[in-house]
Every structure is written in C-alpha cells, then in structure tokens.
Amino acid sequence: PSITLTGHEDAVMTLSWNRQGRKFLASGSADNSILLWDLTRPQSALRSFNHHKDKVQSISWNPVQATELLSVAYDGVIRLFDVRAPQDGVNFISKLKGDVEQAKWRPQGNYFAVTDESGRVSFYDPRNNVDTLAVLDAHSKSATCIDFCGVDLNGNSLFLTGSADKSLKIWSIDPSSTKFNCLLSREMGVGKIFAAGFLPDAPLIIGAAGNRGNVNMWNLKKESVIKSYFTQ
C-alpha cells in the first residue's frame, strides 16, 4: 500500500537530532515552521511549531534539558522553548547585524551562541533575555557555522567557527570572563565553508564541507597549540 508522508511545504533548512531522546528529530523550514518527528513513526510529524514569521535557519536541542529547543530565523527572533509547552517559550532580543546563520548550545547547556552574516558570534545566557553575554567579531565575511568541543579544561572551552571567507578558526573561551583567544586558523580546502563540526565520538577531530562539494578533516591532536592548551 502507498504511504502518504506529511511534512514541510518548503525547503528544509536545518535539522537537529535529540541525543537524549534518540528517536526524536526536529526540522526547521523555509515555510517558517518547525516540525517534531518520531523516527520510529516517520510518516507524519508529531507536532508543528509556528512561532516564527520568516524562514527558520537553525535549531538546536539543549544537550542537558532534553525537551528544550532553540530556534533562530530570518525574522530576527531567537526563540527558546520546551516542546511540551511551546506557548511558554522565551523570545530573546536579537542584536545581530545581519541574518542569522547557525545557533548552537555549549555541551554543558549553560549558554548558547548564534552566528550571523556579518561574521559575528553572539553569546546568550538563557537566564537573561535582555543582553547578550558577549559578542565576538570572528570573521570578515558571514560566519556560517559554529560548534563546541565536547572536551574542556577547568571550565575553559574550545569552539570552532567557519566562514564564507574560507577560514575555519579554533577559539578558546573562559566563561567567567568571556575572553576569547584565536588559537588556530586555516583554510580547509573546501572553498566557502558551509558546515563544520567536532566529531561526537572523537571531539578533537573536525569535519568541514563547503561550496566545492567535498569534505575534509582536521585532527587537532597533531597541533602543538592544542596539546599545550590541554596540558597547561
């Protein structure tokens, strides 16, 4: 028998898999909606969320709070909500200079970051929806992606940013002072970088892809500055 699939009415812009509730996947679309899927029953979405008024560019599950979802869209709204009670969500005040590119939680779930087309990264504390925690001018062109390393040292974190300027940068951050330090920068040989991330099971290895249509890897274990960072 034929199966009718029910989903988005326009392009899917972003996906986020819930690593705590492993059967759940969220998708954001150019139709302005976010859908929640049960991968054991993928014929139709479980729920639809329609709080954005423009294309949903990026979504990210909180790595600690399993039902909490972060979303950002071209309407300039940064939305944080519990999928069980989306009406109680919080809208953060966006101070981004341009359209959003990607949103990502720190693995500890205590703050998140949003990149934009001006090359900036804005950090937000979910307990404070008035001001940004910090702003980093990371790139000369659009900051297309961000990811946090799953390994930290005494509360200090590593994260990466990728850009349309073709560079991928590795940063350290001290959350207590929100001071940033660019440890490494390189071109990945993929052209303009569209996606990059730390491997979940090998958190010092990075994969990156761009407009050339290829994927390249970067093993940070071989970089002396990274070795020094983790032995300080």
Side-chain angles (χ1 to χ4, degrees):
S2 62
I3 298 176
T4 301
L5 300 178
T6 303
H8 292 289
E9 297 178 354
D10 206 334
V12 175
M13 308 283 286
T14 176
L15 297 170
S16 184
W17 175 50
N18 193 320
R19 298 195 71 191
Q20 295 189 75
R22 298 174 69 88
K23 69 176 183 177
F24 295 113
L25 178 76
S27 60
S29 171
D31 65 12
N32 306 352
S33 73
I34 298 168
L35 297 183
L36 176 63
W37 303 86
D38 181 343
L39 297 180
T40 64
R41 297 179 295 168
Q43 288 81 6
S44 61
L46 289 176
R47 297 195 67 176
S48 176
F49 309 104
N50 300 285
H51 48 253
H52 285 295
K53 297 179 180 180
D54 207 337
K55 297 177 182 178
V56 180
Q57 176 70 352
S58 183
I59 54 178
S60 180
W61 290 103
N62 187 317
V64 177
Q65 302 293 334
T67 61
E68 192 171 68
L69 188 64
L70 171 69
S71 65
V72 294
Y74 285 170
D75 59 6
V77 173
I78 301 169
R79 177 79 168 175
L80 180 61
F81 65 100
D82 191 310
V83 296
R84 300 169 298 180
Q87 69 279 1
D88 298 329
V90 176
N91 289 334
F92 287 76
I93 299 172
S94 173
K95 294 183 173 65
L96 305 178
K97 284 187 175 180
D99 287 335
V100 295
E101 291 289 350
Q102 188 175 23
K104 195 75 174 183
W105 283 97
R106 186 172 182 245
Q108 292 76 9
N110 57 341
Y111 62 80
F112 61 87
V114 180
T115 68
D116 67 41
E117 66 177 357
S118 74
R120 299 201 313 174
V121 183
S122 299
F123 295 81
Y124 294 84
D125 182 338
R127 297 163 297 183
N128 181 352
N129 67 337
V130 178
D131 297 313
T132 53
L133 185 65
V135 177
L136 170 66
D137 288 311
H139 293 275
S140 60
K141 294 184 179 180
S142 178
T144 53
C145 52
I146 184 170
D147 195 22
F148 289 89
C149 182
V151 178
D152 64 15
L153 177 68
N154 299 325
N156 297 316
S157 297
L158 290 179
F159 67 95
L160 66 80
T161 57
S163 173
D165 66 11
K166 302 182 181 181
S167 71
L168 190 148
K169 296 182 179 181
I170 309 299
W171 305 83
S172 65
I173 179 175
D174 178 354
S176 63
S177 61
T178 59
K179 291 183 178 179
F180 304 98
N181 182 27
C182 185
L183 303 178
L184 292 166
S185 178
R186 66 177 289 185
E187 291 193 11
M188 294 294 293
V190 297
K192 296 178 181 179
I193 297 175
F194 291 154
F198 294 96
L199 272 62
D201 297 324
L204 290 180
I205 297 178
I206 294 168
N211 68 328
R212 292 183 184 174
N214 60 319
V215 177
N216 281 340
M217 311 299 290
W218 186 6
N219 188 349
L220 296 184
K221 295 179 181 179
K222 298 181 179 181
E223 303 291 346
S224 58
V225 67
I226 301 299
K227 293 179 182 178
S228 299
Y229 177 82
F230 282 104
T231 58
Q232 58 182 291

